[in-house]
Amino acid sequence: MKTPLTFEIYSTTKELPITWDTIAKDNIFLTNSYLEILEKAAPKNMTCFFIGLFKNEILVGIALAQFLDLNKLESFGERDKCIKTMIRNFAFKNFSSHVLFIGNNMLTGQNAYVFCNDVNKFQALKTVHQAANSLKNQLKTKGKRVHILTFKDFYEDNLENFNLLEFNNFYKFSTQPNMVFSVADNWKTEDDYINSLSKKYRDQYKRSRKKGEGIKKKRMNLNDIIANETVIYELYFHVAKNAPFNTFFLPKNHFRVFKELMHDKFLFYGYFLNEKLIGFNTLIKNGKVLDTYFLGYDDTLQREKMLYLNMLYDMIFYAIKKDFKEIIFARTALEIKSSVGAKPIETFGFISHSNSLINRKMSKLFNYLEPKTIWQERNPFK
């Protein structure tokens, strides 16, 4: 007979068991330091909870939950102004404004949980599901009824773990793929990458570098970030609010807190023209994987200077130089990421609505509210 697993839900990192980071060691996004960032500088409409799984009172698994109140958002995004977008926004505000994520809505990839190797994965996931239901009840007592429960983002090899009775009423969905760039073993220098490109994409590289002349890139430390915080936020917010859809906006102090707590694991690069900050990008070191994070730019100069494309090349060159194996380029801008060599990896999630009538129509509703992105995959290599 299996020893039952129990769970504890924590609201602050100070409450976490001392062995938490032993379980999280292979994923920086579940470590105490990263969770402290969420605690101190999460979006204002997000509340985070940390779940510990126990077997005989020994910690054997950890998970992250995020509750989002979409009613606190002033805007879901300002790029698309069509009737369909207005209907979608109305539906979210009125029927789906309280969302509980098991996973991290600020990242792409499997950052929901980690279990010890000797723990039965079905039993562990069943216990996480129990914890999610407990959280729903906890939030309900505070007047916040959860409309949607969703588990995100999982790759194909994780899906069999969800073959449980508890997930029978969940709709399995897939949205935009995660764009992942693999660093070839024989790339030791920038030239190795450039020489591996076909003529068309070598020309694209040369053109972007020519357009970007005059821009100076600087690795910014904590003091630099603090000194430029207002401009940084303006550049970030301009990009964020022009996205087709948003469920949160970062607070102004987010990057400062990230740097304070993550130090050299968090890289912040500013792009300057005539000594004025016109753009930035951020990277997170996660073992041998480099995760791209949020960025911002002046849109008028972005086009003229091909700034975004130049940022992608800079990230690739950093990964080659520092011997990273992969870059997680995440979702959005699929075609341009594809043009530098990133490949789409399909990710899946599971979603359930508290209203049984709406839940039965979830497959139709989801495809209406989250239509497939039409894009053309590129292959830049010879």
Side-chain angles (χ1 to χ4, degrees), residues 104-368:
N104 195 326
N105 194 43
M106 300 166 71
L107 301 166
T108 303
Q110 207 294 74
N111 299 298
Y113 54 70
V114 175
F115 308 138
C116 287
N117 290 332
D118 57 350
V119 172
N120 181 283
K121 301 296 185 288
F122 293 104
Q123 190 184 9
L125 197 49
K126 191 179 286 196
T127 309
V128 173
H129 184 271
Q130 289 169 3
N133 283 335
S134 178
L135 258 176
K136 285 169 73 174
N137 292 331
Q138 189 177 314
L139 288 160
K140 192 175 181 181
T141 62
K142 296 177 181 176
K144 297 173 181 176
R145 186 175 178 225
V146 173
H147 299 124
I148 286 176
L149 173 61
T150 182
F151 288 64
K152 73 171 287 277
D153 286 318
F154 303 96
Y155 297 127
E156 193 108 39
D157 57 357
N158 298 123
L159 296 185
E160 64 175 2
N161 297 337
F162 288 86
N163 291 331
L164 291 165
L165 187 64
E166 284 79 0
F167 290 94
N168 278 358
N169 290 326
F170 282 71
Y171 170 64
K172 185 179 85 172
F173 67 88
S174 177
T175 56
Q176 291 188 33
N178 187 7
M179 298 301 288
V180 178
F181 182 93
S182 297
V183 180
D185 292 337
N186 62 332
W187 294 343
K188 305 300 178 190
T189 66
E190 296 179 11
D191 284 343
D192 291 335
Y193 166 78
I194 296 163
N195 291 335
S196 71
L197 299 171
S198 64
K199 184 181 183 305
K200 176 182 175 181
Y201 291 97
R202 269 202 315 280
D203 289 344
Q204 172 183 278
Y205 167 77
K206 289 172 187 172
R207 188 167 65 255
S208 71
R209 288 320 208 195
K210 183 77 176 166
K211 291 273 191 179
E213 284 177 358
I215 293 176
K216 290 187 168 63
K217 186 179 81 161
K218 178 186 176 183
R219 182 167 165 176
M220 295 170 69
N221 60 29
L222 178 59
N223 290 335
D224 296 327
I225 294 168
I226 292 169
N228 290 277
E229 198 161 71
T230 300
V231 180
I232 287 168
Y233 193 75
E234 286 169 359
L235 294 169
Y236 153 75
F237 192 70
H238 171 77
V239 173
K241 74 181 172 64
N242 283 295
F245 187 67
N246 281 302
T247 53
F248 65 86
F249 291 100
L250 297 176
K252 191 174 178 181
N253 71 337
H254 186 80
F255 300 111
R256 169 206 297 235
V257 173
F258 215 124
K259 192 65 177 172
E260 283 172 347
L261 293 172
M262 280 294 182
H263 308 293
D264 286 343
K265 297 247 187 239
F266 178 64
L267 304 174
F268 192 106
Y269 288 98
Y271 289 74
F272 294 81
L273 185 62
N274 300 324
E275 299 185 10
K276 180 189 174 188
L277 184 65
I278 61 163
F280 73 88
N281 66 51
T282 51
L283 296 167
I284 303 161
K285 300 175 186 176
N286 190 10
K288 281 291 181 184
V289 175
L290 200 57
D291 275 77
T292 61
Y293 199 49
F294 293 96
L295 54 74
Y297 48 70
D298 179 322
D299 198 41
T300 54
L301 290 167
Q302 195 289 116
R303 288 191 177 88
E304 180 191 330
K305 296 291 187 179
M306 297 178 76
L307 186 55
Y308 184 70
L309 186 56
N310 277 308
M311 287 180 180
L312 294 180
Y313 288 128
D314 289 343
M315 293 173 191
I316 290 168
F317 294 155
Y318 181 85
I320 293 170
K321 182 181 175 184
K322 298 296 183 180
D323 200 28
F324 285 91
K325 299 300 179 193
E326 275 185 353
I327 309 172
I328 305 298
F329 276 133
R331 299 191 174 99
T332 72
L334 306 179
E335 205 156 314
I336 192 169
K337 288 170 181 174
S338 176
S339 79
V340 299
K343 294 289 181 188
I345 308 291
E346 195 168 11
T347 60
F348 300 88
F350 296 85
I351 188 169
S352 171
H353 200 286
S354 58
N355 182 305
S356 58
L357 188 62
I358 294 175
N359 199 49
R360 281 200 292 272
K361 304 287 186 184
M362 185 58 80
S363 60
K364 289 181 181 173
L365 279 171
F366 191 89
N367 289 329
Y368 177 79

